Amino acid sequence: MATGKYPSGIAILYPLVKFRTIKIPIPITAVAKTSGVRLWTARTNAIAPRRYDLRLRPDLAACAFSGSAAVAVAVSVPTRHLVLNAAELAVDGSSVRFQDLVPSEVVLFEEDEILVIGFDQDLPIGEGVLKMDFTGTLNDQMRGFYRSKYEYKGESKNMAVTQFEAADARRCFPCWDEPSFKAKFKLTLEVPLELVALSNMPATKEEVHGPLKTVYYEESPLMSTYLVAIVVGLFDYVEGSTLEGTKVRVYAQVGKSNQGKFALDVAVKSLDLYKDYFATPYPLPKLDMVAIPDFAAGAMENYGLVTYRETALLYDELLSSASNKQQVAITVAHELAHQWFGNLVTMEWWTHLWLNEGFASWVSYLAVEALFPEWNNWTQFLDETTSGLRLDALAESHPIEVDINHASEIDAIFDSISYDKGASVIRMLQSYLGAERFQKALASYIKKYAYSNAKTEDLWAVLEDETGEPVKDLMTTWTKQQGYPVIYAKLDGRDLHLEQAQFLSDGSSGPGLWIVPITSCCGSYDAQKKFLLKGKTDKVHIDGQNAGGEKSENCWIKLNIDQTGFYRVKYDDELAAGLEKAIKAKKLSLMDKIGIVEDSYSLSVARKQTLTSLLRLLNAYRDESDYTVLSHVTSVCLGIDKISVDATPELCRNIKQLLINLLLSAAKTLGWDPKDGESHLDVMLRSLLLIALVKLGHEETINEGVRRFHIFLKDRKTNLLPPDTRKASYLAVMRTVTTSSRAGYDALLKIYRETAEAQEKSRVLGSLSSCPDKDIVLEALNFMLTDEVRNQDAFYVLGGISLEGREVAWEWLKENWDRVLKTWPSSSLISDFVKSTVSRFTTEEKAAEVSEFFAGKTKPSFERALKQSLERVRINARWIESIRSEPTLGQTVHELLQHEL
Ligand code: BES
Ligand code: ZN
C-alpha cells in the first residue's frame, strides 16, 4: 500500500455545506475540506456501503490484530475511485478487489485518515463487494481497537476493547466512518478459546480450532459505524430479562459480577420503561453491558454492547457511596436511552450531536425518576441546567448546533452545551408543550426515522405537526444561537416590566435575542402565568393581592417557575427583597430556591450585583436542610471561597467563617454516623456538607475526619468511616499533611495500592493533590504519571488540586506538556489538564502568561477548553477588582457574623 499524493483523477468536493466541485477531471468521488487539498471525509454521492462482513483476529499478547473485510457497496454513479476512511491500519494492497477488479492504486492518506482505492475503469453500477485484508495494533489510547489491562489470579492480562465514537471505527477496519452511512454488520472473531468474546449481536455459532475459537455473530440491523463494538477478555456475568424477554447481562472482571446486580436491575427496568415511552420495542435481540478497566469516557452506548468504566457500572452495598449509586443509575439510564435516541434514530451529522446526547441525558432523568422517586431526580436535574448555564455564559461557548469542519473537531463538542444545555432546552420545550403531547410526538419521531438519520429540524417538524405549536421558530433561537438571556424584571405598580439581554459572565451584553417561554407566579403557586416573550421587552399585568408594595411574606413574584426555562432572571431590589423573605418563610419550591441562588451568584460574578448582596441572600438559606438546595448553596459558597483569598485577603477568614456558619447547623444535625432508615438524600447531604466544611477549613470537621481516618487505617471494616464519609475524611487528612509530616499522604497511597475497587481508588486520587503543601501537590502530580495510575484516572488528581497548589501545577504542566499531550490525546482528557490548571488563576498577567505558553501549540482537541479557561481567568480578575471596591462588604460580613452569635 502506498502513501502519498492524491491520485490525479480524484475530484474534490467541499463537504456538507455545499457540494461544490473544484476540479472535475472525472466524476465525483470524494469530498474535501475547505481548501480542496485536504480530503478528510469519505462522503460521496456515488457510493454507499450496505453490509460489512468483518473478520477480526486480535492477538492480545502481541497487542496487534489482523482482519479482513468484505463490504457490499452500492455504486450509483460511474466512478473509478472508492474513497473511505482508515487510520493507523496497514491495508494489504495486493488483497484489494472490487468484485474481480484489481485496483491500480491503493493509497492511504494518514493525515486525513482516508483510503483511496483507484481502478483503471469505471466500477459497474449496482452492488459489488469490496474485499481487503489489513492489520493494526491494539493501542493504549482508549480509542479505536485498544487493549485494557487487568489482573487475573495475580497475573497481568490484556483485554481487547473498542471505542469508536466519534470517528475511530476507522482505526479498526476501513469503513465509511460517518453516522449517516448506516449499514448492516456481520462480525466474526477469532480469539483464544478461554476468553469471552462479545459484539453487538448474539453469537450464532462457535468453532474450535486448537487453542482458538471462531465466533460468528448474527447480522445487525442498519446502524452507524461508531456503534460497532467488540470486547474480548475474561469476565463473569449476571443475567436478567425484560418483560418482553430480552436477555440483559452485566459483565465484570472475574469475581466482581455481583457488583453488576444493581446496574442490571436498572437496565432491565429502563428498557421496559423506554419501550413504553418511545412506543417502540428495544430493537436488538440482547443487551450486554461490560465494565472495562481502562475507559476514556464514562460509558459508551454501542448498540447491544454498552461499555462502561468500572465506577459507572459496578455498585457494592458495602463499598460504594450513595452518590456512586446515583451515578450508576443515571449512566445506565443514559446509555440505554441511546439505544433508541442515537442508535435506532441517529443524528445525520455531528452538528446534531445534541440530539443524541441532550436527549439521552434528559430521558435518563425521566427513567431514574420513575425508578427512584425518593431521589428527587428532577430537582437534581438542575445540576445539569446549572452547568449548561455556567458554560454558556462564556463568549467562547458555542451554539448547540455547531459546524464541524474536520473529524478532529468532533470530540470537543461532547461538552456541557451538547449535554446539559441540550437536555435543559428539551425540558423547557416539554414544559411548554406539555408532557403528554411531547411524549406522543417523540414516539412518532422515533417511528418515522427508525433505522435512519435525522437532523434537528426533522425533530421540530414532527413536534410541530403533532402539536400545532411554532416549535421550530421557538427552538431555533435556542439551538442555533449560542448563549441565553437574562430577563431584567422591574415592578411598576401592577405592571411587571421584562427586558431580555444576552447574559455573559464578563458583564457585557451580547446581541442575542430569544423567544423565551416566560412563566410567573405571584404570592402563591396556584395562579401561574405563561407566555412567550418574543421581542426585547414586554410586560405582565400582576393581578391579585400579592404584588409588591405590601409587606406581608406573600409579596413575592417568581419568574421561571421551577427553572424550566434556560435563562436567568435579575429582579429589581424590591422584587429581590420579596423573594428573600419568601425563602426565609419557606414559601418557595426547592427548584425555585436553587434558581434564585444560582442566578444571584452568576449575576455577582458578572458584576450585575454585589457580593455583599449575594452574601445577604445566602443568609436566607441558613435553615435549609434539603440536599438538592444545599448542594447548590454549597457550590456557590465554594465558588466565593475560591476567589476570596485573592479578592480580599483581609476579609477572607471572616467570609470563610460566614460560609461555614451557613452549612454548620445542617451538618451538625446529620453528624458523621449514618442513621437507621435515613433517606438517600440525607446520606448524600452528609457527604456533601462534610466535604464542603473540610474544604472551607472548618477545624472541628477536619479533626474529626482525621480521627476517624486513623481508626479506619487500623480497621478497614470500621463503621466509623463508611464510603459516604470517606472522601471528607481523606480530604481532611490531606489538608493537614506537610512535607515534613507526610504520614497521611503515605497512608492514603497505601489504601490506594491495596484496594482493587475503582470507586475507592478514585476517592484517594481525588484527595492526594488537595494538600496545601506545594511539594506534596507536585508529588501527587508525578504519581499520576506513573504506571500505578491508569491514564483514564488522571482527571481525579487534576480535579483535586488545591488553591495553594495552582502555581506548582501550572509549572508542572508546562514542563510535562509534550508527554501529557502524547499520553492523553483525546479531547476530553487533554482538556481536563488545561482546565484544571489554568482556570484556577485570577489575574490578567497570568492569563497572558498562559496564552503565551500555548501560542503555536493549540490543537482542535483542547483549543476551546483553553479559550474558555482563559476567559474564566479574566472574568475572575474583573470580579475580584469589583469586589475590592464594594463599600459595605466588610461591614456586612461583620454584621452577618454578629447576627450569628
Ligand atoms: N456517547 C457518549 C460517550 C462518548 C463521549 C463517546 C465522548 C465519545 C466521546 C455516552 O453516551 C455518554 O454520554 N457518556 C457519558 C455518561 C453520561 C451519564 C452523561 C460520559 O461518558 O460521561
Ligand atoms: Zn450519551
Side-chain angles (χ1 to χ4, degrees):
M1 181 185 60
T3 55
K5 291 203 165 12
Y6 291 113
S8 56
I10 293 236
I12 296 176
L13 287 183
Y14 289 90
L16 319 169
V17 202
K18 274 179 221 135
F19 282 80
R20 187 148 60 92
T21 318
I22 54 164
K23 44 180 182 170
I24 325 173
I26 59 157
I28 297 164
T29 54
V31 287
K33 211 194 152 197
T34 44
S35 67
V37 179
R38 293 180 60 83
L39 190 80
W40 65 273
T41 155
R43 188 175 286 216
T44 152
N45 57 3
I47 306 290
R50 299 284 185 234
R51 180 172 174 276
Y52 291 81
D53 204 331
L54 294 170
R55 196 176 178 106
L56 291 161
R57 289 169 294 273
D59 179 341
L60 299 183
C63 287
F65 64 93
S66 58
S68 52
V71 193
V73 174
V75 180
S76 54
V77 173
T79 177
R80 292 181 180 196
H81 292 94
L82 292 172
V83 180
L84 51 161
N85 296 109
E88 292 167 13
L89 290 178
V91 176
D92 172 6
S94 68
S95 70
V96 182
R97 296 283 180 282
F98 184 79
Q99 301 292 76
D100 50 6
L101 294 179
V102 179
S104 50
E105 51 188 349
V106 177
V107 192
L108 181 67
F109 297 91
E110 267 296 347
E111 206 187 321
D112 296 334
E113 303 178 349
I114 287 279
L115 177 70
V116 176
I117 302 171
F119 297 86
D120 285 336
Q121 63 186 92
D122 279 351
L123 304 177
I125 302 288
E127 205 168 289
V129 176
L130 170 69
K131 287 190 178 164
M132 65 189 116
D133 298 336
F134 51 90
T135 57
T137 44
L138 291 176
N139 69 63
D140 260 334
Q141 301 191 334
M142 298 181 281
R143 60 174 182 178
F145 204 9
Y146 71 95
R147 66 103 175 234
S148 170
K149 286 197 212 166
Y150 61 108
E151 284 218 347
Y152 177 69
K153 295 189 176 162
E155 249 181 69
S156 173
K157 297 250 174 204
N158 290 339
M159 65 171 81
V161 189
T162 55
Q163 167 60 45
F164 289 168
E165 191 174 23
D168 292 320
R170 62 189 68 174
R171 287 170 210 282
C172 182
F173 55 92
C175 57
W176 281 264
D177 197 13
E178 296 190 11
S180 65
F181 283 117
K182 285 200 172 185
K184 295 178 176 174
F185 288 85
K186 188 167 182 335
L187 271 85
T188 306
L189 298 177
E190 286 176 38
V191 298
L193 195 56
E194 70 281 8
L195 299 185
V196 174
L198 303 170
S199 186
N200 307 82
M201 300 297 287
T204 50
K205 192 171 65 166
E206 272 191 27
E207 287 166 1
V208 177
H209 309 279
L212 296 182
K213 62 181 173 186
T214 306
V215 187
Y216 299 85
Y217 297 88
E218 261 179 53
E219 182 171 290
S220 77
L222 284 174
M223 62 185 277
S224 305
T225 45
Y226 78 90
L227 293 167
V228 173
I230 296 164
V231 175
V232 181
L234 281 174
F235 297 100
D236 276 349
Y237 66 84
V238 286
E239 185 177 272
S241 167
T242 65
L243 294 175
E244 295 235 303
T246 307
K247 248 194 215 163
V248 183
R249 285 182 180 175
V250 176
Y251 287 85
Q253 278 180 56
V254 175
K256 279 193 181 179
S257 63
N258 272 342
Q259 296 183 12
K261 283 185 174 158
F262 174 68
L264 177 66
D265 187 49
V266 173
V268 166
K269 290 178 177 150
S270 303
L271 288 184
D272 285 330
L273 191 138
Y274 292 145
K275 170 190 139 284
D276 291 341
Y277 190 80
F278 295 122
T280 304
Y282 173 68
L284 298 184
K286 61 94 179 171
L287 169 70
D288 292 327
M289 311 204 294
V290 196
I292 308 291
D294 300 275
F295 199 82
M300 175 65 211
E301 70 268 26
N302 313 301
Y303 222 177
L305 177 56
V306 183
T307 44
Y308 296 80
R309 62 166 61 206
E310 293 190 341
T311 51
L313 185 67
L314 305 181
Y315 171 78
D316 184 302
E317 279 290 338
L318 295 175
L319 303 171
S320 309
S321 64
S323 113
N324 293 143
K325 188 175 192 177
Q326 269 197 198
Q327 194 53 44
V328 169
I330 281 284
T331 310
V332 170
H334 174 107
E335 304 311 334
L336 300 197
H338 275 313
Q339 307 300 308
W340 285 260
F341 240 101
N343 300 7
L344 183 59
V345 179
T346 311
M347 74 240 140
E348 166 78 26
W349 176 240
W350 298 104
T351 296
H352 308 283
L353 173 70
W354 84 282
L355 278 183
N356 269 13
E357 298 303 348
F359 258 91
S361 294
W362 176 80
V363 176
S364 70
Y365 278 80
L366 200 91
V368 173
E369 177 77 19
L371 300 186
F372 305 98
E374 69 282 9
W375 291 2
N376 213 349
N377 202 47
W378 276 118
T379 309
Q380 294 202 51
F381 180 85
L382 293 189
D383 295 359
E384 314 268 324
T385 308
T386 300
S387 347
L389 287 168
R390 287 191 186 179
L391 180 56
D392 210 21
L394 299 182
E396 292 292 347
S397 178
H398 63 83
I400 283 183
E401 292 182 65
V402 56
D403 281 350
I404 295 292
N405 291 311
H406 192 278
S408 64
E409 296 169 9
I410 304 169
D411 277 347
I413 59 163
F414 284 82
D415 65 359
S416 207
I417 298 301
S418 304
Y419 281 75
D420 303 326
K421 183 181 184 183
S424 301
V425 301
I426 291 158
R427 176 168 177 253
M428 174 164 75
L429 179 62
Q430 185 216 26
S431 130
Y432 177 72
L433 295 174
E436 235 171 82
R437 286 207 292 179
F438 192 67
Q439 174 180 0
K440 267 187 68 191
L442 284 188
S444 316
Y445 165 82
I446 294 284
K447 281 216 168 67
K448 181 163 180 192
Y449 292 100
Y451 302 105
S452 151
N453 297 79
K455 301 185 284 297
T456 304
E457 285 180 11
D458 297 327
L459 175 64
W460 300 156
V462 174
L463 282 158
E464 272 198 24
D465 275 0
E466 295 272 335
T467 64
E469 298 280 349
V471 176
K472 185 176 165 203
D473 285 351
L474 167 66
M475 292 310 287
T476 299
T477 66
W478 297 93
T479 60
K480 288 202 194 281
Q481 195 172 214
Q482 93 177 46
Y484 60 87
V486 50
I487 310 290
Y488 291 90
K490 268 198 191 70
L491 196 61
D492 178 9
R494 293 223 169 266
D495 284 334
L496 184 63
H497 289 268
L498 304 179
E499 177 170 351
Q500 64 161 307
Q502 181 173 356
F503 179 75
L504 286 163
S505 283
D506 67 6
S508 65
S509 293
L513 202 62
W514 287 262
I515 300 183
V516 191
I518 301 278
T519 50
S520 71
C521 61
C522 174
S524 109
Y525 285 98
D526 296 339
Q528 307 194 356
K529 291 204 165 170
K530 209 173 149 171
F531 73 100
L532 291 179
L533 171 66
K534 290 189 172 150
K536 183 112 183 112
T537 60
D538 209 333
K539 65 181 173 190
V540 194
H541 187 71
I542 301 295
D543 33 40
Q545 303 302 308
N546 301 324
E550 296 144 52
K551 294 286 167 264
S552 96
E553 61 193 22
N554 284 338
C555 300
W556 55 270
I557 292 174
K558 173 72 177 55
L559 292 172
N560 197 10
I561 302 169
D562 283 343
Q563 303 303 116
T564 51
F566 194 75
Y567 55 90
R568 299 197 184 281
V569 182
K570 166 89 176 86
Y571 298 94
D572 69 14
D573 291 347
E574 188 183 349
L575 291 167
L579 284 170
E580 216 171 294
K581 262 195 232 145
I583 293 167
K584 284 188 186 143
K586 306 206 175 305
K587 299 282 177 189
L588 299 188
S589 71
L590 299 174
M591 293 191 191
D592 283 334
K593 282 191 272 191
I594 293 169
I596 290 167
V597 74
E598 283 291 345
D599 284 358
S600 183
Y601 172 64
S602 295
L603 288 160
S604 296
V605 176
R607 295 167 289 128
K608 301 285 177 202
Q609 74 170 63
T610 56
L611 176 62
T612 314
S613 66
L614 174 61
L615 291 175
R616 281 195 188 283
L617 172 73
L618 278 172
N619 196 44
Y621 289 81
R622 268 178 48 188
D623 297 332
E624 185 56 62
S625 59
D626 186 274
Y627 165 76
T628 57
V629 178
L630 280 173
S631 77
H632 290 266
V633 169
T634 305
S635 123
V636 167
C637 287
L638 293 174
I640 295 171
D641 181 52
K642 256 186 220 154
I643 50 97
S644 74
V645 191
D646 295 338
T648 66
E650 65 294 349
L651 278 181
C652 144
R653 269 183 65 107
N654 281 347
I655 291 180
K656 259 191 208 302
Q657 191 56 49
L658 198 62
L659 302 173
I660 289 171
N661 292 350
L662 251 176
L663 307 175
L664 207 51
S665 76
K668 285 208 161 128
T669 313
L670 291 166
W672 279 78
D673 295 314
K675 302 192 177 49
D676 279 348
E678 68 187 338
S679 70
H680 168 85
L681 290 181
D682 275 350
V683 180
M684 299 274 290
L685 181 59
R686 171 178 300 116
S687 166
L688 172 89
L689 292 174
L690 292 176
I691 288 174
L693 287 171
V694 169
K695 287 187 176 168
L696 290 168
H698 183 238
E699 235 166 83
E700 220 176 285
T701 309
I702 292 179
N703 293 341
E704 182 59 12
V706 172
R707 186 183 78 83
R708 286 177 186 248
F709 180 75
H710 288 301
I711 298 170
F712 174 69
L713 263 188
K714 291 197 200 103
D715 168 16
R716 301 285 167 81
K717 296 216 159 53
T718 175
N719 294 332
L720 285 177
L721 210 51
D724 292 290
T725 44
R726 224 172 271 165
K727 179 75 186 279
S729 190
Y730 292 175
L731 289 172
V733 169
M734 286 312 300
R735 291 304 299 173
T736 55
V737 163
T738 62
T739 321
S740 57
S741 157
R742 41 175 299 147
Y745 179 82
D746 293 335
L748 275 168
L749 272 187
K750 185 167 177 310
I751 293 175
Y752 178 83
R753 289 176 173 141
E754 285 175 4
T755 182
E757 209 244 330
Q759 286 158 351
E760 179 68 2
K761 278 190 190 286
S762 79
R763 268 175 228 129
V764 177
L765 288 178
S767 312
L768 290 179
S769 55
S770 66
C771 185
D773 187 311
K774 293 172 186 139
D775 293 340
I776 302 280
V777 173
L778 194 59
E779 200 167 327
L781 291 170
N782 285 327
F783 176 64
M784 179 178 77
L785 291 181
T786 67
D787 280 351
E788 285 191 74
V789 181
R790 291 179 191 269
N791 290 347
Q792 66 160 6
D793 290 334
F795 77 95
Y796 294 119
V797 182
L798 296 168
I801 297 171
S802 64
L803 195 62
E804 298 87 344
R806 62 184 165 181
E807 202 53 69
V808 119
W810 167 236
E811 289 304 320
W812 177 91
L813 185 70
K814 286 196 285 187
E815 251 164 60
N816 291 285
W817 179 249
D818 292 339
R819 174 166 176 190
V820 165
L821 193 62
K822 220 171 112 203
T823 316
W824 287 273
S826 93
S827 174
S828 69
L829 301 173
I830 189 70
S831 296
D832 281 339
F833 279 85
V834 174
K835 282 190 269 187
S836 58
T837 46
V838 175
S839 52
R840 306 298 298 273
F841 291 123
T842 57
T843 62
E844 285 287 347
E845 296 72 49
K846 215 68 210 179
E849 184 192 321
V850 172
S851 305
E852 197 181 321
F853 173 76
F854 281 109
K857 290 195 178 68
T858 52
K859 285 185 181 303
S861 54
F862 67 88
E863 189 177 5
R864 206 182 325 254
L866 174 63
K867 286 182 174 164
Q868 288 168 347
S869 303
L870 285 169
E871 191 180 349
R872 288 210 155 100
V873 175
R874 297 195 162 107
I875 287 163
N876 279 337
R878 278 180 237 173
W879 187 27
I880 282 172
E881 204 54 41
S882 87
I883 290 173
R884 287 189 184 142
S885 59
E886 283 189 27
T888 58
L889 181 60
Q891 193 193 330
T892 306
V893 170
H894 189 68
E895 257 172 44
L896 290 170
L897 277 174
Q898 291 296 309
H899 173 74
E900 204 68 40
L901 297 170

